[in-house]
């Protein structure tokens, strides 16, 4: 079985991803697609590995559309599994092998993500229930405090022991492994989403036919910094994605969401 992977860049320097690429080169991934949405190509001349395919788009296609380039090529070349990797991920090469072996052992699994940690090793609660408009608003305003506390524990599955693996409706796009047969069945990332919520949408579509798994036996460090909370431009990008998501799945009468959750 063949394993590929992809990283999407935007105005990144080679130094930002050098350590990550070095780790990937030692992993089970046999081909890594580096998809660069930056205006200028400052990286291709610094990559000298036969395992890496560099694609320069010269403009920002968006997160999902860029990963779709790599996923399409992987399917054309008959790969079986594909890793989605953020450039701000730090991990050991053994993570790839363990996630691959776990997924390969159970063909009911469509997507799998590891335990994700902050740089200080605290937990990022990234597996979630499918969102409602209420959950989006509550995650932003975090008020009233007593209501938010109860809500966030349920929505982010915080009451589940983080050291056990379990099925989850939603998986984060920061780092995961996808079965490409699942992509052939449900389609790739929806390119109407430019930067946010495309992972939620894909998780939901895959979860209709396969299991999405939070796999606690391995962990990665993710430099999550919630840019949308500090940038007006990215906040509006997030807002537009919310509109697209609920236009697609339903604003108030999403009965399938209730059943899945």
């Amino acid at each position: 079985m063949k394993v590929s992977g992809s990283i999407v860049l935007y105005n990144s320097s080679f130094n930002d991803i050098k350590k990550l690429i070095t780790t990937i080169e030692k992993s089970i991934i046999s081909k890594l697609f580096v998809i660069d949405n930056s205006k200028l190509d400052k990286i291709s001349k610094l990559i000298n590995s036969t395992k890496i395919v560099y694609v320069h788009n010269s403009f920002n296609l968006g997160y999902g559309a860029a990963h779709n380039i790599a996923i399409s090529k992987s399917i054309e070349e008959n790969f079986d599994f594909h890793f989605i990797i953020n450039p701000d991920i730090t991990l050991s090469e053994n993570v790839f092998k363990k996630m691959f072996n776990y997924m390969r052992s159970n063909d009911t699994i469509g997507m799998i993500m590891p335990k994700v940690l902050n740089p200080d090793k605290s937990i990022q609660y990234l597996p979630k229930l499918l969102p409602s408009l209420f959950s989006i608003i509550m995650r932003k305003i975090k008020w009233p405090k007593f209501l938010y506390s109860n809500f966030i524990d349920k929505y982010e599955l915080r009451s589940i022991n983080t050291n056990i693996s379990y099925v989850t409706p939603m998986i984060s796009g920061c780092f995961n492994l996808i079965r490409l047969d699942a992509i052939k069945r449900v389609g790739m990332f929806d390119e109407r989403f430019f930067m946010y919520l495309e992972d939620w949408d894909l998780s939901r579509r895959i979860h209709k036919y396969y299991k999405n798994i939070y796999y606690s036996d391995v962990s990665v460090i993710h430099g999550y910094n919630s840019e949308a909370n500090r940038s007006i431009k990215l906040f509006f990008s997030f807002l537009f994605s919310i509109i697209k998501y609920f236009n697609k799945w339903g604003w108030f009468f999403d009965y399938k969401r209730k059943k899945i959750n």
Side-chain angles (χ1 to χ4, degrees):
M1 292 186 172
K2 299 167 60 181
V3 184
S4 58
S6 56
I7 303 173
V8 172
L9 307 179
Y10 179 68
N11 292 339
S12 305
S13 71
F14 185 72
N15 286 336
D16 291 340
I17 61 168
K18 184 178 180 180
K19 183 178 179 181
L20 176 59
I21 286 179
T22 299
T23 301
I24 293 171
E25 287 177 322
K26 295 183 289 185
S27 76
I28 61 166
I29 291 178
S30 55
K31 183 170 285 189
L32 174 69
F33 297 93
V34 177
I35 313 297
D36 195 349
N37 281 344
S38 310
K39 183 176 182 180
L40 301 176
D41 170 10
K42 298 180 180 179
I43 290 180
S44 62
K45 62 181 179 295
L46 301 173
I47 296 176
N48 57 8
S49 171
T50 57
K51 183 184 279 193
I52 299 175
V53 176
Y54 178 83
V55 178
H56 181 236
N57 293 322
S58 76
F59 66 100
N60 194 351
L61 295 178
Y63 171 91
H67 275 297
N68 281 349
I69 293 172
I71 293 171
S72 295
K73 292 179 181 294
S74 294
I75 291 173
E76 289 171 7
E77 297 178 26
N78 296 313
F79 281 89
D80 303 289
F81 303 95
H82 186 84
F83 277 95
I84 300 294
I85 310 162
N86 265 26
D88 57 356
I89 291 290
T90 304
L91 75 169
S92 71
E93 64 267 22
N94 197 43
V95 169
F96 296 101
K97 185 176 181 180
K98 285 191 173 183
M99 290 177 64
F100 165 70
N101 285 338
Y102 188 83
M103 177 176 272
R104 183 179 59 174
S105 69
N106 190 335
D107 59 11
T108 67
I109 299 174
M111 292 180 74
I112 181 174
M113 67 171 291
K115 182 186 298 183
V116 180
L117 306 176
N118 290 302
D120 65 2
K121 304 298 177 67
S122 59
I123 291 284
Q124 290 185 14
Y125 293 96
L126 298 183
K128 296 178 180 67
L129 299 178
L130 296 178
S132 64
L133 184 59
F134 171 79
S135 65
I136 297 290
I137 294 171
M138 282 299 293
R139 285 193 78 219
K140 286 297 179 185
I141 64 173
K142 301 180 180 181
W143 185 88
K145 190 174 182 179
F146 75 93
L147 185 62
Y148 173 76
S149 179
N150 291 331
F151 151 76
I152 203 67
D153 284 348
K154 181 178 179 181
Y155 176 61
E156 294 187 345
L157 307 173
R158 295 190 180 200
S159 61
I160 303 176
N161 189 329
T162 57
N163 292 320
I164 65 171
S165 301
Y166 57 84
V167 177
T168 173
M170 246 175 33
I171 279 182
S172 169
C174 71
F175 185 86
N176 59 60
L177 175 61
I178 303 174
R179 185 183 300 275
L180 289 178
D181 278 348
I183 293 293
K184 294 173 188 176
R185 185 168 188 174
V186 307
M188 298 184 287
F189 285 109
D190 187 336
E191 297 183 11
R192 287 176 292 180
F193 298 95
F194 179 75
M195 186 173 176
Y196 297 102
L197 277 63
E198 59 278 279
D199 51 347
W200 297 8
D201 172 75
L202 182 61
S203 290
R204 177 165 185 167
R205 286 185 280 126
I206 289 179
H207 191 57
K208 183 177 180 180
Y209 303 103
Y210 298 85
K211 294 176 182 176
N212 295 334
I213 298 290
Y214 163 79
Y215 180 54
S216 64
D217 286 10
V218 295
S219 63
V220 303
I221 295 174
H222 177 215
Y224 177 77
N225 51 20
S226 191
E227 295 95 335
N229 291 329
R230 294 191 299 273
S231 164
I232 294 296
K233 182 179 179 180
L234 293 179
F235 173 77
F236 277 105
S237 180
F238 178 69
L239 185 62
F240 292 146
S241 289
I242 290 172
I243 293 169
K244 292 170 186 175
Y245 180 89
F246 289 114
N247 280 345
K248 181 173 184 176
W249 294 106
W251 284 84
F252 302 105
F253 302 105
D254 184 355
Y255 298 108
K256 290 182 179 179
R257 181 193 71 230
K258 294 180 180 179
K259 183 177 180 180
I260 291 167
N261 285 347

